[in-house]
Amino acid sequence: MAVEWMTLLSAAAVILLIAFIIFILFRANNDLARAQEEGEHFVDEWAEREEKLEEKRRLRKAREEELKKMEEARQEQAAFEADYRGRGKKEGDGRQKQPGPVRDQKADPGSQKQPRRFPDQKESRPALLLLELDENKRILRRIPVDHIPFRIGRSNDNDLVLDDLCVSRKHVSIERSGDRYVAVDLGTKNKIFSGGKLHDQLPLEAGVRFFIGNIEMLVEMKR
Amino acid sequence: MREKQEHTISMTRIRWEIHRAFYSFWTGPLMAVILMQIAALLFMGAKGAGRIYLNLLPLLLLISLAGWLFTSVAHGNRKVLVYSLILLTVGTMLQCIFIEELVIRTGTRDPARTGIASLELQYLVSLAAALAAGIVYFCTDFIARKKTAVLMAALAVGLSLLTLVFSEGVGGVKNWISLAGISLQTTEISKLLYIPVCAYILGRDRETDRRTLAFFYGYTFLSLLLLAVQGEFGTLLLLLLVFLSLHLLFVSDLSWLLGVVLALTAGGGILAAIGRKLTQMQLDGSGARTGALVRFYLDAYSKISNRFIYWLNPEKDPAGLGYQLLKAKESILLGGFFGTSSVTDLPVKSSDLVYPALIERCGLVFALLIFIVFNLLWLEEMKVFIRKKQRYHQIIAAGFGTLVFYQALIIIAGSTGLCPLTGITLPFISSGGSSLLVCFIMTALIIAVSGNIPWKGGMEE
């Protein structure tokens, strides 16, 4: 009797385990897909944080360099003035006037009346960012487009080198058209694939996804 | 060719990674797996092995959490981990039941004698080794370097030779070696090392030239030869299937594969004909004085041919060579749909015949579900192979994926009478420290491969 009860209990437990495994198999799919999407904001958040830190470091370094240059110029100016005053004093004593030292205009930023301004490098840079995506639409890397034209292709002399056989040696050039950016195909076989069509020219706006060969890119505009 | 990426480890980063891994813990699949591991307590209680399972439950939870964190940090495939954890839980349940059956038979609950302590140690060592292997693979291209590949090949061959010299041999098979009181199944290590060595050989270039193929064939032939000499024909069959799969996937010229298949068929036919002739000569008495080589050949031939004879007709020798298969069939029938408590005395139930033992204790439906989980695991591993762009990582994913799947397929089919039975283990479920260690490492490597690895695979600078 006890054996029968135990068999029954074990069969019930087996059914429970089967239900659990089926639940995991079915739900794991949905849960993981959702978690993947939700998890993206963690990845973005970290990347944004790193980018901000990098920007801060870059600005701090630029500011330090600027201050150093100004300090050097100030010291040089002070040295020049001291020398000039010394000579003026000697002239006042009745001696022949000596020509003063020739002022180096380039090395004397004080004479050019340059405004002491924090260097804002964003002005000279295009506000465009390309995000390379993997098969699961996760961000593999962030590529700032730091100058125009920005060339993309398989060969090493491009600004962005893509290691994919479907990418031509010189595939795409990112150029400015008015106040917009445009990806221009450089006469390749596979062209630029976006929205189910092949494009020779593709206007780049925030959120636009396109393929260069097998590599998917997402456009992001810097704030 | 290597892409360098700086890794910064800071407390902020560590906190952030832990937060990212477990932010959806209460609703995610990991929670479901952990609940399943806890629910298994009810089943184990019904089987009388609840206390033993309770000892191992914290370790199972630790493995689940550590595996999840690693997978999350590496951005790896979480489904591979979830399926592996399901299989590991089932394996643990079954091992606990076997231990309880041993306790009832021997009447001792000493952890050292019943094997609980050894099982706990195996789990801890396997987890540590798997994490170490996964992290090393993820962070550096150490494994893909020439020196490492040469070292791994030498280690595999050296271990096989050592085993041949020092192993005592069990059932005509020399695959165990004892080091400081710890038994190690060296064929499992050779099997594990075969894939990265082949990945190095085939992964250097997209086009395989004759020199590459010569190395690939040479290393495979040497590995198979050593396995044949050891009498480990199950692993030999497994490596042969993996070799053919890698050949099909990574050697673009199919005429070479056709040639290999023809050569294997012809070679097998010739070896079988020689074996039949020698056996005939021995029966006639004309080969009474035979050399050691001929005796070895005849032993191997009779071993393999007997597998086929008693697979088709196990009732020919019900107490001898057909005993295992007959008992396996009896267990399957006795198990029914949802298992039974009155179990038969099944030989090698914890290793080779673990699948019939699972059917007997948990039923056909449960065992079928486990087979489906093996298939899903294989599909996920193949997805990793398809999605990876770099050849070295592709070979690692495809190699380990096919290895685990073929191993499961061969032993499940063999133990249920669908093909001749061979002595290999069922991944994650069979007992055996070496097998468990290798399964853990393979899973960790597949998860690492499926993540965003910062180095490019297998290209020498």
Side-chain angles (χ1 to χ4, degrees), chain B residues 237-257:
Chain B
L237 176 67
L238 185 62
L239 275 200
L240 196 60
L241 288 174
V242 173
F243 161 71
L244 290 175
S245 303
L246 291 181
H247 203 303
L248 177 69
L249 293 172
F250 297 102
V251 179
S252 50
D253 192 354
L254 284 179
S255 57
W256 283 100
L257 181 65

Side-chain angles (χ1 to χ4, degrees), chain A residues 12 25 48 56 58 61 87 112 118 201 208 214-216:
Chain A
L25 295 186
E48 213 167 84
K56 260 187 188 174
R58 200 170 55 74
K61 202 176 165 190
R87 281 169 190 272
Q112 292 174 359
F118 199 72
Q201 284 203 351
V208 168
N214 290 318
I215 295 168
E216 190 173 7

Side-chain angles (χ1 to χ4, degrees), chain B residues 331-441:
Chain B
S331 299
I332 294 168
L333 287 173
L334 203 66
F337 284 114
F338 297 108
T340 178
S341 290
S342 48
V343 292
T344 55
D345 187 23
L346 191 63
V348 283
K349 63 186 174 189
S350 63
S351 53
D352 297 2
L353 295 183
V354 77
Y355 198 70
L358 178 71
I359 298 175
E360 193 177 23
R361 282 152 187 86
C362 302
L364 197 61
V365 180
F366 189 81
L368 210 59
L369 198 61
I370 295 307
F371 180 63
I372 291 170
V373 174
F374 271 115
N375 282 275
L376 291 173
L377 180 65
W378 177 68
L379 280 177
E380 278 308 315
E381 287 163 347
M382 287 300 104
K383 266 190 206 171
V384 175
F385 151 65
I386 291 165
R387 285 175 180 178
K388 271 286 151 191
K389 287 174 188 163
Q390 292 149 14
R391 200 170 157 85
Y392 185 89
H393 299 319
Q394 278 187 332
I395 299 172
I396 292 285
F400 286 131
T402 48
L403 189 69
V404 172
F405 182 65
Y406 288 147
Q407 193 172 339
L409 203 65
I410 291 170
I411 192 62
I412 289 175
S415 59
T416 49
L418 295 172
C419 77
L421 180 64
T422 57
I424 52 175
T425 53
L426 186 60
F428 292 108
I429 297 182
S430 291
S431 69
S434 314
S435 167
L436 200 67
L437 178 78
V438 167
C439 286
F440 268 58
I441 292 175

Side-chain angles (χ1 to χ4, degrees), chain B residues 159-172:
Chain B
L159 273 176
S160 297
L161 290 173
L162 263 179
T163 315
L164 272 174
V165 176
F166 293 108
S167 175
E168 289 168 7
V170 181

Side-chain angles (χ1 to χ4, degrees), chain B residues 261-329:
Chain B
V261 173
L262 285 175
L264 283 173
T265 317
I270 292 166
L271 288 175
I274 294 170
R276 203 175 300 126
K277 185 75 183 166
L278 283 172
T279 315
Q280 194 62 43
M281 279 169 69
Q282 212 177 31
L283 288 173
D284 294 345
S286 53
R289 286 187 64 190
T290 50
L293 192 65
V294 176
R295 273 204 307 280
F296 166 76
Y297 187 80
L298 278 173
D299 283 347
Y301 175 74
S302 68
K303 193 177 168 185
I304 295 171
S305 58
N306 281 341
R307 292 283 163 111
F308 280 91
I309 292 165
Y310 294 103
W311 162 53
L312 294 169
N313 299 301
E315 54 282 338
K316 267 188 177 178
D317 187 7
L321 293 166
Y323 179 71
Q324 285 191 2
L325 204 54
L326 284 174
K327 284 302 247 184
K329 285 182 176 177

Side-chain angles (χ1 to χ4, degrees), chain A residues 6-7 10 13-15 17-18 20-21 24-25 29 31-32 35 38-39 42 46 49 135-136 138 163, chain B residues 12-13 16 20 23 27 32 35-36 39 43 46-47 75 78-79 82-83 93 341 362 366 369 387 456:
Chain A
M6 289 312 271
T7 307
S10 110
V14 163
I15 292 168
L17 282 179
I18 289 170
F20 252 115
I21 292 176
I24 293 167
L25 295 186
N29 228 358
D31 283 349
L32 287 175
E38 287 175 3
F42 281 93
W46 185 265
R49 185 178 173 280
E135 300 82 358
N136 299 319
R138 292 183 301 201
D163 183 20
Chain B
T12 325
R13 179 79 197 218
W16 182 81
R20 192 170 71 82
Y23 78 98
T27 52
L35 280 177
M36 187 199 106
F43 174 72
K47 293 286 181 193
H75 289 273
R78 292 177 179 185
K79 280 191 208 170
V82 168
Y83 298 148
M93 283 161 48
S341 290
C362 302
F366 189 81
L369 198 61
R387 285 175 180 178
K456 283 192 174 184

